[in-house]
Amino acid sequence: MKPVIKQVRRPKTTMLRLAVKFFPPDPGQLQEEYTRYLFALQIKRDLAEERLTCSDNTAALLISHLLQSEIGDFDESEDREHLKGNRYLPNQERIQGKILEFHRKHVGQTPAESDFQVLEIARKLEMYGIRFHLASDREGTKINLAVSHMGVLVFQGNTKINTFNWSKVRKLSFKRKRFLIKLHPEGPYQDTLEFLLGSRDECKNFWKICVEYHTFFRLFDQPKPKAKAVFFSRGSSFRYSGRTQKQLVDYIKDSGMKKTPYERRHSKVRVSAHASNTDVPKQSAAFPEGLRTPGSPASATVPFHSVHSSAAPTTLPIFAESSPSSLDPRAPYTRIPDKNTPMPAEETGRKLVQQPGSPIFQSFQGLPVDHSQLSSLVLKSPLGLNAAFPVNLNAAGQGSSPLLSPVLSDAGGARIEEDDEMKRKRYPTDKAYFIAKEILATERTYLKDLEVITVWFRSAVIKENAMPEGLMTLLFSNIDPIYEFHRGFLKEIEQRLSLWEGKTNAHVKGDYQRIGDVMLRNMRTLKEFTSYLQKHDEVLTELEKATKRLKKLEMVYKEFELQKVCYLPLNTFLLKPIQRLMHYKLILGRLCKHYTAEHRDFADCRNALKEVTEMTSQLQHSLIRLENFQKLTELQHDLIGIDNLTAPGREFIREGCLYKLTKKGLQQRMFFLFSDMLLYTSKGVTGTNQFKIHGHLPLHGMLVEESENEWAVPHCFTIYSAQKTIVVAASTRLEMGKWMEDLNMAIEMAKKSTEKSDMLLDNSVCNRSNRSSDEVSLEQESEDDIHSSRSSLDRQSHHRANTTMHVCWYRNTSVSMADHSVAVENQLSGYLLRKFKNSNGWQKLWVVFTNFCLFFYKTHQDDYPLASLPLLGYVVSSPVEADGIQKDYVFKLQFKSHVYFFRAESKYTFERWMEVIKRATSSPARSSLLLPKDEKDRHTD
């Protein structure tokens, strides 16, 4: 707002350079191509000035995209000439070969696409947008301070050692050369941190930058100017002047302004066979992973109305943040990819939005999310759809937000229609590539699962000071090193896959089109963590003991399990590290089967498989024991009427729904079979989702026989025990067969057991269940009998409703421990397109399949699922003609009248999803002996 002459002493000899002030976490979501171009120029400058430090490979990739943007398609002699006269990086000669190699792969890429790629690569770098301010800590150690959208950062050299999120900061201040950060007194940090800068001016300057960043990214409205003191004032009156990010978004949304059409030429104009496409980033087509994230704030831009300039493409036009009347919008700064006639602005905009792979199109598929501590940014869609993107500045320290629109409803969210053929051509089609992509997708989910313990649960127990120091050390010293290892491993896989994919290099074979070397290197490193994995048995046991002993920890544990981020029972996440080894073994086995012995990747894959097989063989018994213990503790939390379910030697065998014959007729009951007893329960009438035990039968001396003819009830069998005899009926003959087989097997095992059955009986089980009868017991339950359990039920906390026991209850089915063991292998993650039975379009979702359930996310970076779909009882198949699905790679999920269609990106991915869902939902073949021939045929699938 001040005239330049009042700010600069010699304006005639001063050069003013345009620079980016606020670096949003995802510059790819900037709405205007012109703004993305300006950001790309800033990245180019940071690279040249060595502010944006990165590996040689990344630097070469960035420069290759900048080359494509400025001079067009690859031509070796012209490239070398251009690089000789233009410095993108000091000493760029040493990586010139890599630059040319990468540039060769960008044929047909438009300037808009190149800018988009530059921003996509840069935003993932740790030094993106970082401006160092030299300082020292209280001990005099030299450090660097910086500020970003998320808070104040501390670096040692180029390594980030700490982040103080805005939500944790209570106050920022400075006193002479001392910069002070006051924190909310709830975290593990001391209340006030002090840093020493070079001078008072440097300190005040950094403080001002922090104030501006906090205001821009965190606040809805800019703060009002401080009232002037009458006599004297204390402290600085400095306030950020300008719109906040939220105000910018609202301005664009409310003003209904037309976007400035913007195109530009390459400095070397040459017609390209591919350059006639609209300026849409190709990487965002088909199934991009990590381009659009609701967890990252979208950054809106001020609509710039530029004065027409005929200068070189890299010269920036004068522009103003003002009303449309301030400058003539009819003379746009044009950017044309080739000699073809420029497309009219309206047509360009329409095609850009309608292009399914467009980042603009994909940005409007978000569901509204509300959070008391998050700023919501609403991007205006030309389609008239609004999507809210929460700015999650402190994921670790906050709870999950309630959803306003469930993802399983047909309302909300844009739908995607795609030109499959065009998209598939942009990616490699080799099966090994899709196997590698499966490793990447499942690794992303696995790392998020580890964060449930290392970040979220740690935060919850620290906040309440609920866990003893010894248990804290045992738990986190075992899982933190594994988490840190997998963070680095994931980065390596992401880097390799991005090189493998390239842009148009599906036909090019290079050293980077393999994954075995990455797997071998990391499996050897992971071997060093075997000792940590062997301690998980102790961790799980000690955690369970502590929750029983300490009421405060038990309360925190139960409350945490109700958070959306804890989408499975908490102790399930402690099993993930060993289960992940099993996944590596299966995936590497698949790669070895795919490759021929002569393939350059075969030897590495085989050696990696050998390494991981050694680890799994050591940990196999531990995993079986852990899975059993985890299941028993999960049931302990969900069953009312028994206290020591985790007794030594007890093994879980099967859980499921059966109908028990009572005086009122057949009544639905939930049965639990263990190696020493059979429990039967009913569901509580309150909303706690827990089951109340009605009786237990010891297996010692038990007899089971089919009695369908005797009682004239379909799929009926009788259980004779020492205490009583009960008659139960299954929902199908197949279910009856599974129960009878497992019961007979468990009875045989109990006979051989040396332990006496009376030692295993639990006195805490309801006395009412001990009534004995020489004849069949027809149990009668009055309403008073059921309601009497309310007081005890109401005292319990609410439990999740998507665990296997609840799904079995509602779907009239059962699950065995063998099924649970197989389910460990049937875990899969990835992007799928989903369509409802009666909807028109497809919606892209990140889908995680684990524990017999599909969990739906908007992107792989989300911290918690939007919704879940338990699959027990569902049938998976290919669509029939009547479904009207005219797309490839679609599978259909159906339970009664509930129908969903899911579309995969490739034949391999489609087959994998079909395989894992079929294995998890199909019945084991071992029960087929009990079926008539015609029914055997029906259940063969």
Side-chain angles (χ1 to χ4, degrees):
M1 301 300 290
K2 287 183 186 177
V4 174
I5 199 164
K6 289 189 177 181
Q7 302 179 64
V8 182
R9 290 181 180 178
R10 297 191 179 99
K12 288 183 180 179
T13 58
T14 300
M15 179 181 287
L16 300 177
R17 301 198 322 180
L18 185 72
V20 170
K21 184 168 188 174
F22 301 112
F23 287 82
D26 189 355
Q29 285 184 338
L30 296 170
Q31 290 187 18
E32 293 195 6
E33 182 195 322
Y34 176 60
T35 314
R36 291 198 295 272
Y37 167 54
L38 297 179
F39 266 80
L41 289 177
Q42 181 68 61
I43 299 302
K44 176 184 173 185
R45 183 187 295 167
D46 286 356
L47 200 60
E49 293 175 355
E50 294 188 282
R51 278 177 165 173
L52 188 65
T53 55
C54 55
S55 67
D56 285 353
N57 263 346
T58 306
L61 191 58
L62 279 168
I63 295 169
S64 70
H65 283 297
L66 291 168
L67 268 179
Q68 180 70 21
S69 172
E70 292 184 14
I71 67 173
D73 290 346
F74 175 78
D75 182 302
E76 188 166 351
S77 59
E78 291 187 50
D79 276 22
R80 290 184 184 279
E81 193 62 34
H82 182 84
L83 288 171
K84 199 177 288 183
N86 293 271
R87 285 281 156 195
Y88 291 92
L89 192 71
N91 304 319
Q92 69 185 22
E93 292 81 7
R94 62 193 170 85
I95 59 167
Q96 186 164 301
K98 287 182 180 178
I99 296 170
L100 298 178
E101 185 185 338
F102 284 130
H103 189 202
R104 192 192 305 270
K105 300 179 181 69
H106 304 329
V107 175
Q109 192 170 280
T110 62
E113 293 173 309
S114 301
D115 291 346
F116 187 84
Q117 293 301 324
V118 167
L119 299 181
E120 273 302 307
I121 297 163
R123 77 180 178 90
K124 295 173 185 174
L125 298 174
E126 193 160 56
M127 299 304 292
Y128 160 70
I130 296 300
R131 300 290 181 261
F132 280 156
H133 297 260
L134 297 175
S136 57
D137 61 14
R138 279 180 173 171
E139 284 74 38
T141 308
K142 295 295 179 187
I143 54 164
N144 291 310
L145 295 178
V147 63
S148 74
H149 67 280
M150 64 171 61
V152 181
L153 315 174
V154 184
F155 286 79
Q156 201 154 34
N158 285 341
T159 306
K160 184 164 68 176
I161 59 173
N162 219 334
T163 302
F164 300 105
N165 292 82
W166 294 127
S167 58
K168 291 179 183 175
V169 175
R170 183 163 55 89
K171 185 180 180 182
L172 291 175
S173 59
F174 70 96
K175 189 173 183 181
R176 297 186 179 90
K177 296 194 293 185
R178 288 185 299 141
F179 180 74
L180 306 170
I181 302 175
K182 292 187 178 178
L183 302 169
H184 291 291
E186 58 181 41
Y189 310 107
Q190 53 190 320
D191 182 43
T192 304
L193 294 118
E194 185 179 306
F195 300 96
L196 200 67
L197 278 83
S199 67
R200 180 188 180 279
D201 287 348
E202 286 178 34
C203 193
K204 184 174 183 179
N205 182 49
F206 181 63
W207 173 78
K208 281 184 173 182
I209 293 168
C210 291
V211 170
E212 290 180 321
Y213 256 82
H214 176 267
T215 307
F216 183 77
F217 286 109
R218 251 323 240 198
L219 303 187
F220 286 166
D221 302 307
Q222 63 191 85
K224 292 177 181 177
K226 194 176 180 182
K228 289 188 177 179
V230 179
F231 296 110
F232 60 89
S233 64
R234 292 185 64 192
S236 173
S237 61
F238 174 76
R239 294 290 183 274
Y240 167 67
S241 60
R243 293 188 183 99
T244 65
Q245 187 172 234
K246 175 70 166 60
Q247 287 175 321
L248 286 173
V249 174
D250 291 344
Y251 173 76
I252 290 176
K253 182 177 71 170
D254 299 336
S255 65
M257 251 199 49
K258 288 185 180 177
K259 290 189 176 182
T260 306
Y262 168 67
E263 296 173 354
R264 69 182 171 101
R265 297 177 185 277
H266 293 304
S267 59
K268 171 188 70 178
V269 179
R270 185 168 64 230
V271 178
S272 164
H274 304 280
S276 58
N277 294 336
T278 324
D279 279 6
V280 180
K282 287 182 184 173
Q283 189 175 323
S284 60
F287 289 79
E289 298 190 359
L291 295 190
R292 295 292 145 261
T293 108
S296 306
S299 179
T301 65
V302 179
F304 298 124
H305 299 279
S306 54
V307 175
H308 180 66
S309 171
S310 58
T314 49
T315 305
L316 301 182
I318 300 169
F319 64 94
E321 177 189 333
S322 57
S323 63
S325 59
S326 64
L327 291 168
D328 183 8
R330 290 172 295 178
Y333 181 76
T334 59
R335 184 185 197 198
I336 302 167
D338 56 27
K339 292 180 185 175
N340 298 330
T341 309
M343 193 179 288
E346 293 82 0
E347 183 68 11
T348 306
R350 183 178 64 78
K351 290 201 173 182
L352 186 62
V353 171
Q354 289 176 350
Q355 177 79 10
S358 162
I360 294 178
F361 190 98
Q362 292 186 358
S363 294
F364 306 118
Q365 297 168 51
L367 294 172
V369 178
D370 182 29
H371 199 299
S372 58
Q373 297 189 39
L374 303 183
S375 305
S376 287
L377 302 180
V378 183
L379 302 186
K380 179 73 175 183
S381 164
L383 296 173
L385 297 169
N386 286 335
F389 291 82
V391 186
N392 191 345
L393 299 179
N394 183 26
Q398 298 168 357
S400 25
S401 60
L403 282 171
L404 302 182
S405 297
V407 77
L408 285 178
S409 72
D410 200 13
R415 297 295 185 262
I416 302 173
E417 290 296 343
E418 298 188 83
D419 184 350
D420 306 274
E421 214 43 53
M422 189 170 71
K423 307 230 181 290
R424 281 187 210 123
K425 285 177 183 173
R426 292 182 181 151
Y427 292 100
T429 53
D430 181 24
K431 184 179 177 181
Y433 161 75
F434 291 110
I435 296 175
K437 202 168 180 182
E438 183 184 327
I439 297 173
L440 170 63
T442 50
E443 190 70 17
R444 282 172 169 165
T445 297
Y446 171 54
L447 201 67
K448 281 289 178 187
D449 286 345
L450 290 180
E451 283 177 7
V452 173
I453 301 286
T454 60
V455 176
W456 295 88
F457 185 57
R458 188 204 306 263
S459 177
V461 293
I462 286 175
K463 186 177 179 181
E464 299 296 332
N465 194 23
M467 190 178 283
E469 192 65 38
L471 183 57
M472 283 277 287
T473 305
L474 177 65
L475 172 57
F476 296 113
S477 66
N478 270 288
I479 202 161
D480 282 348
I482 295 168
Y483 172 64
E484 287 304 320
F485 163 76
H486 283 282
R487 281 180 67 189
F489 183 26
L490 177 60
K491 282 181 183 175
E492 272 196 65
I493 302 171
E494 285 177 331
Q495 202 168 28
R496 175 56 58 88
L497 262 291
S498 66
L499 291 171
W500 195 333
E501 286 169 357
K503 284 297 294 179
T504 55
N505 65 340
H507 60 285
V508 178
K509 301 293 178 188
D511 284 340
Y512 50 81
Q513 289 191 324
R514 58 196 175 110
I515 196 72
D517 57 327
V518 176
M519 295 301 292
L520 177 59
R521 186 165 57 251
N522 284 280
M523 290 308 103
R524 282 174 175 164
T525 309
L526 191 55
K527 216 171 177 182
E528 298 166 15
F529 293 95
T530 310
S531 59
Y532 293 109
L533 296 171
Q534 286 168 336
K535 283 188 181 177
H536 277 223
D537 199 342
E538 183 188 350
V539 171
L540 209 60
T541 310
E542 290 302 317
L543 183 61
E544 183 62 21
K545 283 181 185 174
T547 51
K548 284 181 179 178
R549 191 176 72 251
L550 305 167
K551 290 295 176 190
K552 193 174 183 181
L553 179 59
E554 183 186 23
M555 183 188 72
V556 170
Y557 190 107
K558 285 181 177 178
E559 284 180 0
F560 183 75
E561 278 203 321
L562 298 178
Q563 301 299 315
K564 283 195 173 80
V565 73
C566 188
Y567 67 101
L568 298 170
L570 178 59
N571 54 15
T572 306
F573 294 101
L574 287 168
L575 271 60
K576 295 286 182 180
I578 303 180
Q579 291 175 347
R580 187 62 180 150
L581 291 178
M582 305 299 170
H583 299 161
Y584 292 144
K585 183 180 173 182
L586 291 166
I587 294 172
L588 284 165
R590 215 173 298 131
L591 271 169
C592 290
K593 282 180 185 175
H594 167 67
Y595 287 136
T596 58
E598 294 77 32
H599 195 281
R600 65 183 184 283
D601 205 23
F602 177 75
D604 284 341
C605 286
R606 185 181 55 190
N607 290 330
L609 178 60
K610 186 181 174 184
E611 297 285 349
V612 81
T613 304
E614 282 181 32
M615 286 187 278
T616 54
S617 59
Q618 287 180 45
L619 295 163
Q620 182 70 47
H621 294 297
S622 180
L623 178 60
I624 293 167
R625 192 169 59 252
L626 281 170
E627 285 177 342
N628 183 65
F629 183 76
Q630 184 277 323
K631 187 62 188 174
L632 292 174
T633 52
E634 180 190 322
L635 294 175
Q636 180 77 74
H637 295 162
D638 276 352
L639 297 178
I640 296 174
I642 186 165
D643 289 334
N644 68 337
L645 200 59
T646 54
R650 181 171 288 149
E651 292 178 23
F652 167 75
I653 298 173
R654 180 174 289 278
E655 63 183 340
C657 178
L658 293 170
Y659 288 86
K660 182 175 177 291
L661 193 61
T662 70
K663 289 181 180 179
K664 287 185 176 181
L666 289 171
Q667 297 283 318
Q668 187 178 3
R669 295 286 176 265
M670 191 71 186
F671 280 73
F672 300 91
L673 175 61
F674 302 94
S675 57
D676 62 312
M677 65 177 176
L678 177 69
L679 296 179
Y680 57 93
T681 68
S682 66
K683 198 167 188 300
V685 291
T686 63
T688 61
N689 284 323
Q690 289 175 289
F691 288 83
K692 184 189 176 192
I693 294 174
H694 281 283
H696 82 281
L697 307 172
L699 295 189
H700 188 71
M702 184 180 281
L703 182 66
V704 180
E705 66 176 32
E706 190 176 343
S707 53
E708 194 169 347
N709 298 331
E710 184 183 345
W711 292 93
V713 177
H715 323 308
C716 171
F717 57 100
T718 305
I719 301 171
Y720 302 94
S721 78
Q723 272 102 356
K724 64 168 70 175
T725 302
I726 61 171
V727 178
V728 292
S731 55
T732 63
R733 184 165 181 79
L734 182 67
E735 276 295 305
M736 182 189 79
K738 288 193 276 187
W739 273 107
M740 288 184 68
E741 185 174 5
D742 277 352
L743 276 163
N744 285 320
M745 177 195 70
I747 292 165
E748 282 301 312
M749 285 171 61
K751 273 183 189 176
K752 294 173 184 175
S753 174
T754 54
E755 294 181 43
K756 299 292 182 185
S757 58
D758 54 358
M759 290 173 65
L760 296 171
L761 292 180
D762 181 27
N763 294 328
S764 66
V765 179
C766 308
N767 292 328
R768 187 164 54 81
S769 66
N770 291 328
R771 292 176 302 171
S772 62
S773 170
D774 295 332
E775 303 299 323
V776 174
S777 168
L778 297 180
E779 187 178 342
Q780 184 173 13
E781 296 168 8
S782 66
E783 289 299 312
D784 294 336
D785 204 15
I786 294 171
H787 286 295
S788 66
S789 65
R790 281 194 176 184
S791 58
S792 62
L793 281 169
D794 286 333
R795 284 196 295 271
Q796 304 292 328
S797 60
H798 289 245
H799 284 58
R800 63 181 68 253
N802 65 357
T803 54
T804 49
M805 72 161 70
H806 296 96
V807 179
C808 288
W809 174 265
Y810 289 112
R811 304 267 169 87
N812 289 332
T813 187
S814 67
V815 172
S816 69
M817 194 64 211
D819 296 328
H820 280 284
S821 298
V822 171
V824 172
E825 301 172 12
N826 296 329
Q827 299 192 27
L828 198 58
S829 308
Y831 282 104
L832 290 174
L833 300 180
R834 189 199 59 196
K835 181 183 178 297
F836 296 101
K837 184 180 179 181
N838 299 317
S839 63
N840 296 322
W842 296 84
Q843 183 182 19
K844 190 178 82 168
L845 295 165
W846 175 258
V847 183
V848 173
F849 180 53
T850 184
N851 292 49
F852 307 99
C853 193
L854 291 179
F855 294 92
F856 300 103
Y857 302 73
K858 280 305 293 176
T859 75
H860 72 270
Q861 292 179 328
D862 290 2
D863 291 317
Y864 55 85
L866 301 171
S868 63
L869 179 63
L871 292 188
L872 289 175
Y874 268 79
V875 175
V876 62
S877 61
S878 295
V880 295
E881 194 175 338
D883 293 320
I885 303 293
Q886 306 298 324
K887 302 286 183 184
D888 292 332
Y889 313 139
V890 175
F891 61 91
K892 175 183 177 181
L893 284 173
Q894 183 166 6
F895 174 72
K896 297 181 179 176
S897 61
H898 301 280
V899 179
Y900 301 97
F901 298 101
F902 291 92
R903 188 167 149 218
E905 63 173 323
S906 67
K907 184 183 178 186
Y908 171 80
T909 317
F910 163 76
E911 288 171 351
R912 281 290 293 138
W913 280 101
M914 287 282 282
E915 177 190 349
V916 297
I917 294 174
K918 266 186 180 178
R919 286 189 70 193
T921 56
S922 297
S923 304
R926 63 197 178 105
S927 299
S928 60
L929 295 171
L930 297 159
L931 297 173
K933 187 176 186 311
D934 59 335
E935 200 161 344
K936 276 184 197 177
D937 298 335
R938 272 206 307 275
H939 291 283
T940 303
D941 254 351

